[in-house]
Amino acid sequence: MEMPDKGEFTTPTQELAETGYEFYRRGWASGSSGNFSFLLARKPLRLCITPAGNEKGKFDETNFLEVDDDAEILQGFGRPSDETLLHLSIYRLRPKARCILYSQSIWGTLLANRLYVDGGINFQGFEILKGLEGVTTHEHTESIPIIENSQDHIAQSHVIENVLHEARNIHGIFVRKHGLFTWGETVAQTRRHAEIFEFLFEVLARGGK
Amino acid sequence: MEMPDKGEFTTPTQELAETGYEFYRRGWASGSSGNFSFLLARKPLRLCITPAGNEKGKFDETNFLEVDDDAEILQGFGRPSDETLLHLSIYRLRPKARCILYSQSIWGTLLANRLYVDGGINFQGFEILKGLEGVTTHEHTESIPIIENSQDHIAQSHVIENVLHEARNIHGIFVRKHGLFTWGETVAQTRRHAEIFEFLFEVLARGGK
Amino acid sequence: MEMPDKGEFTTPTQELAETGYEFYRRGWASGSSGNFSFLLARKPLRLCITPAGNEKGKFDETNFLEVDDDAEILQGFGRPSDETLLHLSIYRLRPKARCILYSQSIWGTLLANRLYVDGGINFQGFEILKGLEGVTTHEHTESIPIIENSQDHIAQSHVIENVLHEARNIHGIFVRKHGLFTWGETVAQTRRHAEIFEFLFEVLARGGK
Amino acid sequence: MEMPDKGEFTTPTQELAETGYEFYRRGWASGSSGNFSFLLARKPLRLCITPAGNEKGKFDETNFLEVDDDAEILQGFGRPSDETLLHLSIYRLRPKARCILYSQSIWGTLLANRLYVDGGINFQGFEILKGLEGVTTHEHTESIPIIENSQDHIAQSHVIENVLHEARNIHGIFVRKHGLFTWGETVAQTRRHAEIFEFLFEVLARGGK
């Protein structure tokens, strides 16, 4: 088995780059889809985020853009991802979040499209849910709201803000025919959330419940 | 092809770490699920086990906890996995076992949920069954009992002890909506058992018999 | 995670070799299927292309053939791939194309065989379509014409030329029971196109829309 | 992308070890299943073969046994695989064969079990069939006979000999609930055959034709 090196110290952007490579390998960031961000400061709000069109299997910690509260670039080359406004909304409404991962998988796409009329995806009774921050028992129902996709990113960021106001305990939001946004306090925790949801997307889409 | 290095000597914890990485790669240990242990001594009983919340794609032989018969930590940092009591029960009831692997796969989850009402999963006539310790012909029926999940780990460990008392020839137990426990005399043998069961879970879940 | 080295500089043939390895890993170039080319010059037309029977998991930038407008070998060892004439047709009819990738996947094979009677595959409303050159919104319908396979490669290249004349905005052509041809201005862009189409082949073949 | 090193020279046993690792990665040699051999000499017949219980993800060119025409060990440690007699039968009846690969996949298991009553698997019209030795057009029907599994390996080797006498143009034989034997003149060619068949097993098992 090829064991990965355990570096002495890994920065959040290195962790994001590793996550991008792993998501690419799993088919969750194909064809330059997917975008990842990390919060650098809250006041004023400053974050680093993958640029638009970035290939997730081939980037490293030098490829990020640093942007401010208005999605203006402070540092780095390239155009910010179209979803930057959505990242900003999530950081504003979730004060503990320091990382956001967006993944686009086949099973998530299939399941969300099927459950869109119900407004969301519900998972119930799975032990793996205990890996979500704050969940301590498998006797739990976890919901992921599904919203419509739009190229009007300002309007869409308001939709996301409304969802985050109303659904206090969620760990992710699905944008239909687009993908999953999930967040957490560290890159590792956020990645765990993404892995748990992607696991359960496949279970449900294959007929499990 | 990237061939793995064949080290001169591999310790059981190194083998467990490699197994964790391989299980993670295959999607059997997503989102910090999965836990692995190795028996260090029988009298008094002492084992090393992965800590709770440990990411299986990123740990090495230094990440284990050493615990005693009461699941008390003798060495290492972190909280013992919730399933430590279940590992202890298996070691007590199976005197030859020196390794336990817990895997959580999509196909196992789907199949066990479907067959739960029957109380177990049965495999019959597959050549691959000959890879299980003590099985010498494909003309064999192998059973995996399915038990209910519970956060009361003491009660659950008693359920597992009862199952192990009654079913003398089994090589694994499935905890519904949770995952598969399998055991063996070495890490390699246990891993072989897990691979065989995971292979057959997919075959049966896809309609094979 | 095993992060790839980011070399100082990568040539197009190195990029093609990496792409071949990645396509092989994903099961899109099994059993020596798949062929890849890069345009070296337009006047006179000269391209490098993988030779027939080449294993995609094991080749490097020295394995290419250099051929001219008549598919005659200028440099390199081996027989040109049977599909060389098809590559030449695409380069002639698409003046901006500098790279062509042919992939053969299970999902593409299944989907194209099912939709062959309709003459093509249509994708609608997926965010991932924005990764295709010139597509700026998910509110887009992308079509891939499906043509019949033939061992008469001259006749087949005429069919492809007709398709390219009529369908101005397509990014790929599917040859039934054979595979997908896609093209672009760089290796990276073409690979992105292939990844997007392969992602959507699986989504549609599994019942998504 | 992690490109493999291209060594200056690779021996057949090194190629077999690489193949074992790749088959393991793809799930065609799980739980110590799978066995691989290479013909060292015809007169007297002498071959090297993987030993019984060998893990395919972790062996190298030093792990092979050298056996003679009676499956007696001439060199190496371990017990010959139960299927050694079947390998010998194939080498006897196919004078050009120098390599035999046995793979055990989920899709092959499912398909052969479904088509067993018909006596075999037929593939028709797929371009990928041109990768099989001697096949020059996709307008071809390739058949794989399916035989019953047995622990009486002498009887089973006679069955295989009868099949090879009658079916002159086949490239593989499937043993039900066991796996696929395929052969060729080199390791690379045999591996290509295995990849082609495994690709088509999945296509047919998923409803393609």
Side-chain angles (χ1 to χ4, degrees):
Chain A
M1 301 308 99
E2 347 117 36
M3 295 286 297
D5 279 337
K6 286 198 48 153
E8 288 305 299
F9 181 77
T10 314
T11 65
T13 45
Q14 282 171 334
E15 281 187 88
L16 281 183
E18 279 183 15
T19 299
Y21 185 68
E22 180 63 19
F23 277 28
Y24 176 78
R25 191 186 70 81
R26 291 181 181 258
W28 303 347
S30 294
S32 85
S33 71
N35 49 69
F36 312 131
S37 71
F38 189 79
L39 192 74
L40 300 170
R42 276 243 162 237
K43 297 188 177 175
L45 207 130
R46 219 157 36 87
L47 54 91
C48 58
I49 188 163
T50 46
N54 185 259
E55 285 174 76
K56 298 310 170 294
K58 292 201 90 169
F59 76 119
D60 67 19
E61 66 276 14
T62 67
N63 292 124
F64 288 88
L65 300 177
E66 196 179 318
V67 301
D68 69 11
D69 207 1
D70 296 316
E72 294 297 322
I73 299 180
L74 303 177
Q75 215 177 308
F77 299 98
R79 190 167 60 79
S81 166
D82 288 344
E83 288 83 18
T84 305
L85 291 179
L86 314 187
H87 286 241
L88 285 165
S89 293
I90 294 170
Y91 285 123
R92 274 189 215 110
L93 274 283
R94 284 294 180 267
K96 284 165 76 183
R98 296 214 53 187
C99 176
I100 298 172
L101 298 174
Y102 161 71
S103 55
Q104 177 163 20
S105 71
I106 284 161
W107 293 109
T109 302
L110 286 165
L111 187 69
N113 214 24
R114 195 193 302 163
L115 299 182
Y116 175 65
V117 289
D118 304 332
I121 303 165
N122 294 307
F123 304 117
Q124 197 166 15
F126 293 98
E127 180 73 14
I128 204 174
L129 292 171
K130 284 170 67 184
L132 298 173
E133 178 61 18
V135 177
T136 56
T137 170
H138 69 282
E139 289 165 345
H140 167 81
T141 299
E142 179 73 23
S143 296
I144 300 180
I146 307 172
I147 65 172
E148 192 59 90
N149 193 13
S150 167
Q151 295 305 318
D152 179 346
H153 296 102
I154 294 173
Q156 200 175 19
S157 68
H158 291 319
V159 172
I160 281 189
E161 287 172 16
N162 285 336
V163 166
L164 290 169
H165 266 303
E166 283 174 29
R168 303 307 306 173
N169 297 317
I170 59 172
H171 297 80
I173 292 175
F174 205 101
V175 184
R176 188 185 173 210
K177 285 189 160 191
H178 191 167
L180 171 73
F181 286 95
T182 188
W183 52 87
E185 295 168 35
T186 61
V187 176
Q189 186 189 91
T190 313
R191 178 168 163 171
R192 202 164 67 222
H193 291 175
E195 285 183 15
I196 291 165
F197 287 143
E198 292 292 348
F199 182 95
L200 292 172
F201 287 161
E202 186 171 346
V203 168
L204 258 63
R206 287 191 185 278
K209 50 193 164 190
Chain B
M1 300 310 98
E2 348 115 36
M3 296 285 298
D5 279 336
K6 285 196 51 152
E8 288 305 299
F9 181 77
T10 313
T11 64
T13 44
Q14 282 171 333
E15 281 187 89
L16 281 183
E18 280 183 13
T19 299
Y21 185 68
E22 180 63 19
F23 278 28
Y24 176 79
R25 189 185 72 81
R26 291 180 181 261
W28 303 346
S30 295
S32 84
S33 71
N35 48 70
F36 312 132
S37 71
F38 190 78
L39 192 73
L40 299 170
R42 277 243 162 238
K43 296 186 177 175
L45 208 130
R46 219 157 36 87
L47 54 90
C48 59
I49 189 164
T50 46
N54 186 258
E55 284 173 78
K56 298 310 169 295
K58 292 200 89 168
F59 76 119
D60 68 20
E61 66 277 12
T62 67
N63 292 125
F64 287 88
L65 299 178
E66 195 179 318
V67 301
D68 69 12
D69 207 0
D70 297 316
E72 295 295 324
I73 299 179
L74 303 177
Q75 216 176 306
F77 299 98
R79 190 168 60 80
S81 165
D82 287 345
E83 288 82 20
T84 305
L85 292 179
L86 314 186
H87 286 241
L88 285 165
S89 293
I90 294 170
Y91 284 123
R92 275 190 215 109
L93 274 283
R94 284 295 180 268
K96 284 165 76 183
R98 296 215 52 188
C99 176
I100 298 172
L101 298 175
Y102 160 72
S103 55
Q104 177 164 21
S105 70
I106 284 161
W107 293 109
T109 303
L110 286 165
L111 187 68
N113 214 24
R114 195 192 301 164
L115 299 181
Y116 176 65
V117 289
D118 304 332
I121 303 165
N122 294 308
F123 304 117
Q124 197 166 14
F126 293 98
E127 180 74 13
I128 204 175
L129 291 170
K130 285 170 68 184
L132 299 172
E133 177 62 18
V135 177
T136 56
T137 170
H138 69 282
E139 289 164 346
H140 168 79
T141 300
E142 179 73 23
S143 296
I144 300 180
I146 307 172
I147 65 172
E148 192 59 88
N149 193 14
S150 167
Q151 296 305 318
D152 179 347
H153 296 103
I154 295 173
Q156 200 175 20
S157 67
H158 291 319
V159 171
I160 281 189
E161 286 173 16
N162 284 337
V163 166
L164 291 169
H165 266 303
E166 282 173 30
R168 301 308 306 174
N169 297 318
I170 59 172
H171 296 80
I173 293 176
F174 205 100
V175 184
R176 189 186 171 209
K177 285 189 159 188
H178 190 166
L180 170 73
F181 287 94
T182 189
W183 53 86
E185 295 168 37
T186 60
V187 176
Q189 187 190 91
T190 313
R191 177 168 163 169
R192 202 163 69 222
H193 291 176
E195 285 183 15
I196 291 165
F197 287 144
E198 292 292 347
F199 181 95
L200 292 172
F201 287 162
E202 186 170 345
V203 168
L204 259 63
R206 287 192 185 277
K209 48 194 166 188
Chain C
M1 302 306 96
E2 347 118 35
M3 295 287 297
D5 279 336
K6 286 197 51 153
E8 288 305 299
F9 181 77
T10 313
T11 66
T13 45
Q14 282 171 335
E15 282 187 89
L16 281 182
E18 278 183 16
T19 299
Y21 185 68
E22 180 63 17
F23 278 27
Y24 177 78
R25 189 185 72 81
R26 292 181 180 260
W28 303 347
S30 294
S32 84
S33 70
N35 49 70
F36 312 131
S37 72
F38 189 79
L39 192 74
L40 299 170
R42 276 245 161 236
K43 295 186 179 178
L45 207 130
R46 219 157 36 86
L47 55 91
C48 59
I49 189 164
T50 47
N54 186 259
E55 284 173 77
K56 298 310 169 294
K58 293 200 88 169
F59 76 119
D60 68 20
E61 66 277 13
T62 67
N63 292 124
F64 288 88
L65 300 178
E66 194 178 318
V67 302
D68 68 11
D69 207 2
D70 297 316
E72 295 296 322
I73 299 180
L74 303 177
Q75 213 176 309
F77 299 97
R79 189 167 61 78
S81 166
D82 288 344
E83 288 82 19
T84 305
L85 292 180
L86 314 186
H87 286 241
L88 285 165
S89 293
I90 293 170
Y91 285 121
R92 275 189 215 108
L93 274 282
R94 284 294 178 268
K96 284 164 75 183
R98 296 213 55 186
C99 176
I100 298 171
L101 299 175
Y102 161 70
S103 55
Q104 178 164 21
S105 70
I106 284 161
W107 292 110
T109 303
L110 286 165
L111 187 68
N113 214 25
R114 195 193 302 164
L115 299 182
Y116 176 66
V117 289
D118 305 331
I121 303 165
N122 294 308
F123 303 117
Q124 197 166 13
F126 293 98
E127 179 75 13
I128 203 174
L129 291 170
K130 284 169 67 184
L132 298 173
E133 178 61 19
V135 177
T136 55
T137 169
H138 68 282
E139 289 166 346
H140 168 81
T141 299
E142 178 74 22
S143 296
I144 300 179
I146 308 171
I147 65 172
E148 192 59 89
N149 193 14
S150 166
Q151 294 306 316
D152 180 346
H153 297 102
I154 294 173
Q156 200 175 19
S157 66
H158 292 317
V159 172
I160 280 187
E161 287 172 15
N162 285 337
V163 166
L164 290 169
H165 266 302
E166 283 174 29
R168 302 308 306 173
N169 297 318
I170 59 173
H171 297 81
I173 293 176
F174 205 100
V175 185
R176 189 187 172 209
K177 284 188 158 190
H178 191 166
L180 170 73
F181 286 94
T182 188
W183 53 87
E185 295 168 38
T186 60
V187 177
Q189 186 189 90
T190 313
R191 178 169 162 170
R192 202 164 67 221
H193 291 175
E195 285 183 14
I196 290 165
F197 287 144
E198 292 293 347
F199 181 95
L200 292 172
F201 287 162
E202 186 170 345
V203 169
L204 259 63
R206 287 191 185 276
K209 48 193 166 189
Chain D
M1 300 307 97
E2 348 116 37
M3 295 285 298
D5 279 337
K6 284 196 53 153
E8 289 305 299
F9 181 76
T10 314
T11 65
T13 45
Q14 282 171 334
E15 282 187 88
L16 280 183
E18 279 182 15
T19 299
Y21 185 67
E22 180 63 19
F23 277 28
Y24 176 78
R25 190 184 71 81
R26 292 181 181 260
W28 303 347
S30 295
S32 86
S33 71
N35 49 70
F36 313 132
S37 72
F38 189 79
L39 192 73
L40 299 170
R42 277 242 161 240
K43 295 185 179 178
L45 207 130
R46 220 157 35 87
L47 55 91
C48 59
I49 189 163
T50 46
N54 186 260
E55 286 173 76
K56 298 311 169 293
K58 292 200 87 167
F59 76 119
D60 68 20
E61 67 276 12
T62 67
N63 291 124
F64 288 88
L65 298 178
E66 195 179 317
V67 301
D68 69 12
D69 207 1
D70 297 316
E72 295 295 323
I73 299 179
L74 303 177
Q75 215 176 306
F77 298 98
R79 190 168 61 78
S81 165
D82 287 345
E83 288 82 21
T84 304
L85 291 179
L86 313 185
H87 286 240
L88 285 165
S89 293
I90 293 170
Y91 285 121
R92 276 191 213 108
L93 275 283
R94 286 294 180 267
K96 284 165 74 182
R98 295 215 55 189
C99 176
I100 298 172
L101 299 175
Y102 161 71
S103 56
Q104 177 164 20
S105 70
I106 283 161
W107 293 108
T109 303
L110 286 166
L111 187 69
N113 214 24
R114 194 192 302 164
L115 299 180
Y116 175 66
V117 289
D118 304 332
I121 303 164
N122 294 308
F123 304 116
Q124 197 166 14
F126 293 98
E127 179 74 14
I128 203 175
L129 292 169
K130 284 170 68 184
L132 298 173
E133 177 62 19
V135 177
T136 55
T137 169
H138 69 283
E139 290 165 346
H140 168 80
T141 300
E142 178 73 22
S143 296
I144 300 180
I146 307 171
I147 65 172
E148 191 60 89
N149 193 14
S150 166
Q151 295 305 317
D152 179 347
H153 296 102
I154 294 174
Q156 200 176 18
S157 68
H158 291 319
V159 171
I160 280 188
E161 287 172 16
N162 285 337
V163 166
L164 291 169
H165 267 302
E166 284 174 29
R168 302 309 305 174
N169 297 320
I170 58 173
H171 297 80
I173 293 176
F174 205 101
V175 184
R176 189 187 172 209
K177 284 189 159 189
H178 191 166
L180 170 73
F181 286 95
T182 188
W183 52 86
E185 295 169 37
T186 60
V187 176
Q189 187 190 91
T190 313
R191 179 169 162 169
R192 201 164 67 221
H193 291 175
E195 284 183 14
I196 291 165
F197 287 144
E198 292 292 347
F199 181 95
L200 292 172
F201 287 162
E202 187 170 344
V203 169
L204 259 63
R206 287 192 185 276
K209 49 195 166 185

mmCIF file of all heavy atoms in Angstrom, chain D residues 4 6 12 22 25-26 29 31 41 43 65 74-75 77 79 84 87 89-90 92 126 137 145 172:
data_model
loop_
_atom_site.group_PDB
_atom_site.id
_atom_site.type_symbol
_atom_site.label_atom_id
_atom_site.label_comp_id
_atom_site.label_asym_id
_atom_site.label_seq_id
_atom_site.Cartn_x
_atom_site.Cartn_y
_atom_site.Cartn_z
ATOM 1 N N PRO D 4 3.809 5.988 -13.442
ATOM 2 C CA PRO D 4 4.723 4.915 -13.038
ATOM 3 C C PRO D 4 6.098 5.128 -13.667
ATOM 4 O O PRO D 4 6.217 5.700 -14.735
ATOM 5 C CB PRO D 4 4.049 3.674 -13.617
ATOM 6 C CG PRO D 4 3.248 4.168 -14.768
ATOM 7 C CD PRO D 4 2.839 5.577 -14.438
ATOM 8 N N LYS D 6 9.169 4.004 -15.751
ATOM 9 C CA LYS D 6 9.364 3.021 -16.812
ATOM 10 C C LYS D 6 10.758 2.438 -16.645
ATOM 11 O O LYS D 6 11.737 3.069 -17.004
ATOM 12 C CB LYS D 6 9.226 3.684 -18.185
ATOM 13 C CG LYS D 6 7.771 3.964 -18.522
ATOM 14 C CD LYS D 6 7.568 4.238 -19.988
ATOM 15 C CE LYS D 6 8.127 3.160 -20.901
ATOM 16 N NZ LYS D 6 7.430 3.082 -22.193
ATOM 17 N N PRO D 12 9.229 -11.086 -16.826
ATOM 18 C CA PRO D 12 7.831 -11.554 -16.773
ATOM 19 C C PRO D 12 7.292 -11.658 -15.350
ATOM 20 O O PRO D 12 6.135 -11.310 -15.116
ATOM 21 C CB PRO D 12 7.903 -12.929 -17.448
ATOM 22 C CG PRO D 12 9.057 -12.821 -18.395
ATOM 23 C CD PRO D 12 10.064 -11.947 -17.692
ATOM 24 N N GLU D 22 -2.292 -4.416 -9.767
ATOM 25 C CA GLU D 22 -3.341 -3.698 -10.495
ATOM 26 C C GLU D 22 -4.695 -4.421 -10.386
ATOM 27 O O GLU D 22 -5.724 -3.787 -10.181
ATOM 28 C CB GLU D 22 -2.922 -3.538 -11.968
ATOM 29 C CG GLU D 22 -3.900 -2.820 -12.844
ATOM 30 C CD GLU D 22 -4.164 -1.371 -12.459
ATOM 31 O OE1 GLU D 22 -3.339 -0.772 -11.729
ATOM 32 O OE2 GLU D 22 -5.215 -0.839 -12.863
ATOM 33 N N ARG D 25 -6.066 -3.743 -6.985
ATOM 34 C CA ARG D 25 -6.589 -2.377 -6.915
ATOM 35 C C ARG D 25 -7.981 -2.285 -7.541
ATOM 36 O O ARG D 25 -8.853 -1.573 -7.048
ATOM 37 C CB ARG D 25 -5.633 -1.427 -7.653
ATOM 38 C CG ARG D 25 -5.932 0.054 -7.456
ATOM 39 C CD ARG D 25 -5.015 0.932 -8.300
ATOM 40 N NE ARG D 25 -5.314 0.855 -9.703
ATOM 41 C CZ ARG D 25 -6.294 1.536 -10.330
ATOM 42 N NH1 ARG D 25 -7.085 2.339 -9.652
ATOM 43 N NH2 ARG D 25 -6.486 1.403 -11.624
ATOM 44 N N ARG D 26 -8.190 -3.026 -8.639
ATOM 45 C CA ARG D 26 -9.472 -2.976 -9.332
ATOM 46 C C ARG D 26 -10.534 -3.883 -8.708
ATOM 47 O O ARG D 26 -11.676 -3.912 -9.187
ATOM 48 C CB ARG D 26 -9.283 -3.405 -10.801
ATOM 49 C CG ARG D 26 -8.482 -2.409 -11.620
ATOM 50 C CD ARG D 26 -8.347 -2.870 -13.069
ATOM 51 N NE ARG D 26 -7.574 -1.916 -13.823
ATOM 52 C CZ ARG D 26 -8.089 -0.986 -14.640
ATOM 53 N NH1 ARG D 26 -9.378 -0.920 -14.815
ATOM 54 N NH2 ARG D 26 -7.309 -0.139 -15.275
ATOM 55 N N ALA D 29 -8.976 -9.345 -7.520
ATOM 56 C CA ALA D 29 -8.144 -10.330 -6.821
ATOM 57 C C ALA D 29 -8.249 -10.086 -5.321
ATOM 58 O O ALA D 29 -7.253 -9.963 -4.626
ATOM 59 C CB ALA D 29 -6.687 -10.231 -7.295
ATOM 60 N N GLY D 31 -9.150 -10.741 -1.314
ATOM 61 C CA GLY D 31 -9.111 -11.822 -0.328
ATOM 62 C C GLY D 31 -8.270 -13.004 -0.746
ATOM 63 O O GLY D 31 -8.682 -14.140 -0.554
ATOM 64 N N ALA D 41 9.450 -22.958 -19.756
ATOM 65 C CA ALA D 41 9.957 -23.852 -20.803
ATOM 66 C C ALA D 41 8.848 -24.805 -21.204
ATOM 67 O O ALA D 41 7.957 -25.121 -20.400
ATOM 68 C CB ALA D 41 11.158 -24.638 -20.284
ATOM 69 N N LYS D 43 9.600 -27.929 -23.077
ATOM 70 C CA LYS D 43 10.052 -29.325 -23.061
ATOM 71 C C LYS D 43 11.309 -29.459 -22.245
ATOM 72 O O LYS D 43 12.370 -29.106 -22.741
ATOM 73 C CB LYS D 43 10.293 -29.795 -24.495
ATOM 74 C CG LYS D 43 9.009 -29.822 -25.289
ATOM 75 C CD LYS D 43 9.200 -30.404 -26.665
ATOM 76 C CE LYS D 43 7.839 -30.425 -27.387
ATOM 77 N NZ LYS D 43 7.930 -30.934 -28.749
ATOM 78 N N LEU D 65 6.333 -19.732 -7.231
ATOM 79 C CA LEU D 65 6.807 -21.117 -7.183
ATOM 80 C C LEU D 65 7.150 -21.536 -8.612
ATOM 81 O O LEU D 65 6.468 -21.145 -9.563
ATOM 82 C CB LEU D 65 5.695 -22.040 -6.685
ATOM 83 C CG LEU D 65 5.164 -21.786 -5.284
ATOM 84 C CD1 LEU D 65 4.034 -22.770 -4.997
ATOM 85 C CD2 LEU D 65 6.286 -21.925 -4.262
ATOM 86 N N LEU D 74 9.573 -27.230 -7.960
ATOM 87 C CA LEU D 74 11.009 -27.313 -8.227
ATOM 88 C C LEU D 74 11.770 -26.277 -7.414
ATOM 89 O O LEU D 74 12.925 -26.467 -7.052
ATOM 90 C CB LEU D 74 11.275 -27.082 -9.724
ATOM 91 C CG LEU D 74 10.557 -28.037 -10.678
ATOM 92 C CD1 LEU D 74 10.845 -27.655 -12.124
ATOM 93 C CD2 LEU D 74 10.994 -29.482 -10.418
ATOM 94 N N GLN D 75 11.110 -25.166 -7.137
ATOM 95 C CA GLN D 75 11.770 -24.078 -6.428
ATOM 96 C C GLN D 75 10.724 -23.173 -5.772
ATOM 97 O O GLN D 75 9.611 -23.025 -6.280
ATOM 98 C CB GLN D 75 12.565 -23.254 -7.444
ATOM 99 C CG GLN D 75 13.862 -22.701 -6.893
ATOM 100 C CD GLN D 75 14.658 -21.976 -7.973
ATOM 101 O OE1 GLN D 75 14.921 -22.543 -9.020
ATOM 102 N NE2 GLN D 75 15.035 -20.747 -7.710
ATOM 103 N N PHE D 77 8.915 -21.323 -1.975
ATOM 104 C CA PHE D 77 8.279 -21.733 -0.737
ATOM 105 C C PHE D 77 6.769 -21.615 -0.827
ATOM 106 O O PHE D 77 6.256 -20.669 -1.412
ATOM 107 C CB PHE D 77 8.787 -20.866 0.417
ATOM 108 C CG PHE D 77 10.263 -21.014 0.623
ATOM 109 C CD1 PHE D 77 11.142 -20.080 0.076
ATOM 110 C CD2 PHE D 77 10.779 -22.099 1.319
ATOM 111 C CE1 PHE D 77 12.507 -20.214 0.239
ATOM 112 C CE2 PHE D 77 12.154 -22.242 1.484
ATOM 113 C CZ PHE D 77 13.016 -21.297 0.938
ATOM 114 N N ARG D 79 2.616 -23.627 -0.929
ATOM 115 C CA ARG D 79 1.827 -24.672 -1.544
ATOM 116 C C ARG D 79 1.355 -24.140 -2.891
ATOM 117 O O ARG D 79 0.949 -22.986 -2.982
ATOM 118 C CB ARG D 79 0.610 -24.951 -0.643
ATOM 119 C CG ARG D 79 -0.212 -26.154 -0.981
ATOM 120 C CD ARG D 79 -1.186 -26.457 0.176
ATOM 121 N NE ARG D 79 -2.115 -25.367 0.424
ATOM 122 C CZ ARG D 79 -3.202 -25.110 -0.312
ATOM 123 N NH1 ARG D 79 -3.497 -25.857 -1.363
ATOM 124 N NH2 ARG D 79 -4.002 -24.107 0.006
ATOM 125 N N THR D 84 -3.437 -25.008 -10.121
ATOM 126 C CA THR D 84 -2.236 -25.262 -10.920
ATOM 127 C C THR D 84 -2.513 -26.265 -12.044
ATOM 128 O O THR D 84 -2.036 -26.088 -13.180
ATOM 129 C CB THR D 84 -1.089 -25.761 -10.015
ATOM 130 O OG1 THR D 84 -0.895 -24.788 -8.978
ATOM 131 C CG2 THR D 84 0.205 -25.909 -10.796
ATOM 132 N N HIS D 87 -4.027 -24.549 -14.989
ATOM 133 C CA HIS D 87 -3.007 -23.814 -15.762
ATOM 134 C C HIS D 87 -2.260 -24.778 -16.677
ATOM 135 O O HIS D 87 -2.053 -24.491 -17.859
ATOM 136 C CB HIS D 87 -2.014 -23.110 -14.816
ATOM 137 C CG HIS D 87 -2.558 -21.905 -14.132
ATOM 138 N ND1 HIS D 87 -2.013 -20.657 -14.284
ATOM 139 C CD2 HIS D 87 -3.607 -21.746 -13.285
ATOM 140 C CE1 HIS D 87 -2.705 -19.779 -13.561
ATOM 141 N NE2 HIS D 87 -3.665 -20.415 -12.931
ATOM 142 N N SER D 89 -3.217 -27.603 -17.933
ATOM 143 C CA SER D 89 -4.074 -28.030 -19.052
ATOM 144 C C SER D 89 -4.115 -26.972 -20.146
ATOM 145 O O SER D 89 -4.069 -27.293 -21.337
ATOM 146 C CB SER D 89 -5.506 -28.289 -18.559
ATOM 147 O OG SER D 89 -5.510 -29.412 -17.709
ATOM 148 N N ILE D 90 -4.226 -25.732 -19.741
ATOM 149 C CA ILE D 90 -4.302 -24.663 -20.740
ATOM 150 C C ILE D 90 -2.979 -24.575 -21.518
ATOM 151 O O ILE D 90 -2.982 -24.483 -22.752
ATOM 152 C CB ILE D 90 -4.657 -23.315 -20.072
ATOM 153 C CG1 ILE D 90 -6.086 -23.367 -19.507
ATOM 154 C CG2 ILE D 90 -4.536 -22.155 -21.077
ATOM 155 C CD1 ILE D 90 -6.473 -22.197 -18.614
ATOM 156 N N ARG D 92 -0.900 -26.943 -22.121
ATOM 157 C CA ARG D 92 -0.788 -28.115 -22.994
ATOM 158 C C ARG D 92 -1.615 -27.960 -24.256
ATOM 159 O O ARG D 92 -1.172 -28.291 -25.355
ATOM 160 C CB ARG D 92 -1.238 -29.372 -22.233
ATOM 161 C CG ARG D 92 -0.135 -29.958 -21.388
ATOM 162 C CD ARG D 92 -0.518 -31.336 -20.860
ATOM 163 N NE ARG D 92 0.091 -31.501 -19.542
ATOM 164 C CZ ARG D 92 -0.585 -31.484 -18.392
ATOM 165 N NH1 ARG D 92 -1.908 -31.344 -18.386
ATOM 166 N NH2 ARG D 92 0.058 -31.614 -17.254
ATOM 167 N N PHE D 126 -18.459 -5.050 -30.457
ATOM 168 C CA PHE D 126 -17.747 -4.023 -29.698
ATOM 169 C C PHE D 126 -16.349 -3.787 -30.285
ATOM 170 O O PHE D 126 -15.591 -4.735 -30.502
ATOM 171 C CB PHE D 126 -17.607 -4.435 -28.229
ATOM 172 C CG PHE D 126 -18.913 -4.498 -27.492
ATOM 173 C CD1 PHE D 126 -19.566 -5.706 -27.315
ATOM 174 C CD2 PHE D 126 -19.488 -3.340 -26.986
ATOM 175 C CE1 PHE D 126 -20.783 -5.766 -26.633
ATOM 176 C CE2 PHE D 126 -20.701 -3.387 -26.301
ATOM 177 C CZ PHE D 126 -21.348 -4.607 -26.127
ATOM 178 N N THR D 137 -11.738 -7.032 -36.543
ATOM 179 C CA THR D 137 -12.883 -6.160 -36.788
ATOM 180 C C THR D 137 -13.850 -6.262 -35.617
ATOM 181 O O THR D 137 -13.897 -7.286 -34.935
ATOM 182 C CB THR D 137 -13.615 -6.548 -38.094
ATOM 183 O OG1 THR D 137 -14.872 -5.837 -38.138
ATOM 184 C CG2 THR D 137 -13.903 -8.035 -38.157
ATOM 185 N N PRO D 145 -16.840 -19.818 -22.813
ATOM 186 C CA PRO D 145 -17.594 -20.920 -22.199
ATOM 187 C C PRO D 145 -17.593 -20.789 -20.670
ATOM 188 O O PRO D 145 -16.615 -20.315 -20.089
ATOM 189 C CB PRO D 145 -16.812 -22.169 -22.619
ATOM 190 C CG PRO D 145 -15.924 -21.726 -23.749
ATOM 191 C CD PRO D 145 -15.639 -20.281 -23.514
ATOM 192 N N GLY D 172 -10.749 -17.193 -23.452
ATOM 193 C CA GLY D 172 -10.956 -17.295 -22.007
ATOM 194 C C GLY D 172 -11.992 -18.339 -21.662
ATOM 195 O O GLY D 172 -12.801 -18.745 -22.508
#
